[in-house]
Amino acid sequence: MRAARFHEYGGAESLVIEQVPDPRPGRGEIRIRVTAASVNPIDWKLRAGTLHQLIPLELPAIPGRDAAGTVDDIGDGVQGVNIGDRVFGLAGVTGATAELVILSAWAHAPDNWNDEQAAGAGLASVTAMRGLNALGSLAGRTLLIEGAAGGVGGAAVEIAVAQGATVIGTASERNHEFLTSLGAVPTTYGPGLAQRLSALVPHGVDVALDTAASGSLDDLVAITGDPTRVATVADHAGGQRLGTHVVNAENDSTLLSAAAELGRQGHYTPRIEQTYPLERIADAHAHAERGRTRGKIVICI
């Protein structure tokens, strides 16, 4: 099969397209023929080597954690899925940007999502849901999402709105119309956030979710009044220092199925900023590394 790989840690230019052996699914796994795979911040951080002490890789490595496609091989012990089914889901921390990918967590893709949207849903939806679940019931509460225009932030906005929350989302002004379309009340991030919020929601903010790692956790704790009312999926060191909820993504088929059901109901539509062909994966990684994306960057295989 063709796959993108990097043979050493480095810049986006280290990515090459080459032939590699086809993977085979183990027990509890499926293999899909990939139509699209997404690019997440962890992908370029792993490629660059900034996480090599925390997550060492066996090189060469194939970047990518989530993908969508059709099932073409099924491991022992797997039920509820058949050859030819259209699914989306999660591989390991690497392996997804290839023609064939092994998934350990998956769900059937809603018919109203195209391949690119399905590819962009996996890691974003699981991360958003775990962050939101840490904050408890959202019905009737006011939720502040820091970094609401990104892949995880945008997913969190729609999922929280579907759960009955009033959502305030921070983003640059160019993304405010986008946030409004997702169902959030937009505001800018940075100094003076508490004052801007007091004008938008005089009754205050109940809970907050940080998806940006912008150094704002101290402010979010002050705004909510309690570190247990704040969750972060991005600033683990800050969260541990302050005592907020610190959330990692997990390969959880139950959460993927819940996201898919919200998609079928029209409550969650993964937003795609730009797509690239596999041959331009270096450009896609460079785009992601610049940050401040609106939605997901997706590789079409």
Side-chain angles (χ1 to χ4, degrees):
M1 67 172 186
R2 287 193 313 149
R5 290 206 296 185
F6 54 99
H7 290 251
E8 58 185 18
Y9 296 123
E13 69 279 358
S14 65
L15 291 162
V16 295
I17 309 300
E18 53 193 10
Q19 290 288 331
V20 302
D22 293 353
R24 298 301 302 270
R27 183 172 182 81
E29 298 175 333
I30 64 172
R31 186 176 76 181
I32 65 170
R33 187 160 294 278
V34 178
T35 53
S38 78
V39 178
N40 299 288
I42 192 173
D43 301 336
W44 63 259
K45 292 176 183 178
L46 287 170
R47 184 216 71 229
T50 58
L51 300 177
H52 75 277
Q53 291 185 330
L54 182 65
I55 309 175
L57 299 180
E58 182 178 343
L59 300 178
I62 299 170
R65 185 167 175 181
D66 50 0
T70 55
V71 179
D72 87 332
D73 198 2
I74 299 175
D76 293 339
V78 173
Q79 298 180 342
V81 68
N82 299 302
I83 301 294
D85 285 359
R86 182 170 172 264
V87 301
F88 71 105
L90 297 165
V93 294
T94 60
T97 314
E99 290 179 327
L100 297 170
V101 173
I102 304 300
L103 300 182
S104 60
W106 62 86
H108 287 89
D111 291 339
N112 53 334
W113 287 357
N114 62 30
D115 292 338
E116 291 79 13
Q117 290 168 328
L123 191 58
S125 65
V126 166
T127 305
M129 284 186 162
R130 293 204 73 235
L132 294 173
N133 289 347
L135 297 171
S137 174
L138 297 177
R141 303 176 86 186
T142 298
L143 165 69
L144 171 65
I145 298 179
E146 184 84 317
V152 174
V157 169
E158 290 196 277
I159 293 167
V161 168
Q163 293 179 6
T166 297
V167 178
I168 312 297
T170 69
S172 59
E173 288 187 8
R174 72 180 183 89
N175 287 325
H176 282 191
E177 185 176 347
F178 173 67
L179 289 188
T180 300
S181 74
L182 298 181
V185 177
T187 189
T188 52
Y189 50 80
L193 178 59
Q195 289 76 16
R196 292 190 296 277
L197 290 171
S198 66
L200 289 172
V201 280
H203 59 279
V205 169
D206 298 307
V207 286
L209 174 65
D210 167 44
T211 73
S214 61
S216 65
L217 272 184
D218 290 89
D219 291 336
L220 300 186
V221 170
I223 287 166
T224 61
D226 186 339
T228 65
R229 293 187 176 190
V230 178
T232 181
V233 301
D235 185 357
H236 290 192
Q240 290 166 357
R241 173 177 59 84
L242 291 167
T244 72
H245 299 281
V246 177
V247 177
N248 289 304
E250 293 183 355
N251 286 21
D252 189 328
S253 293
T254 300
L255 292 180
L256 292 171
S257 295
E261 184 57 32
L262 287 173
R264 292 185 188 95
Q265 296 171 3
H267 296 312
Y268 168 46
T269 303
R271 310 297 168 135
I272 309 302
E273 173 162 305
Q274 191 163 337
T275 62
Y276 293 86
L278 179 61
E279 292 73 17
R280 291 185 59 201
I281 186 172
D283 293 333
H285 267 233
H287 185 166
E289 201 162 351
R290 289 192 295 271
R292 297 190 179 182
T293 58
R294 183 167 63 188
K296 295 302 295 288
I297 297 169
V298 172
I299 305 294
C300 298
I301 308 296

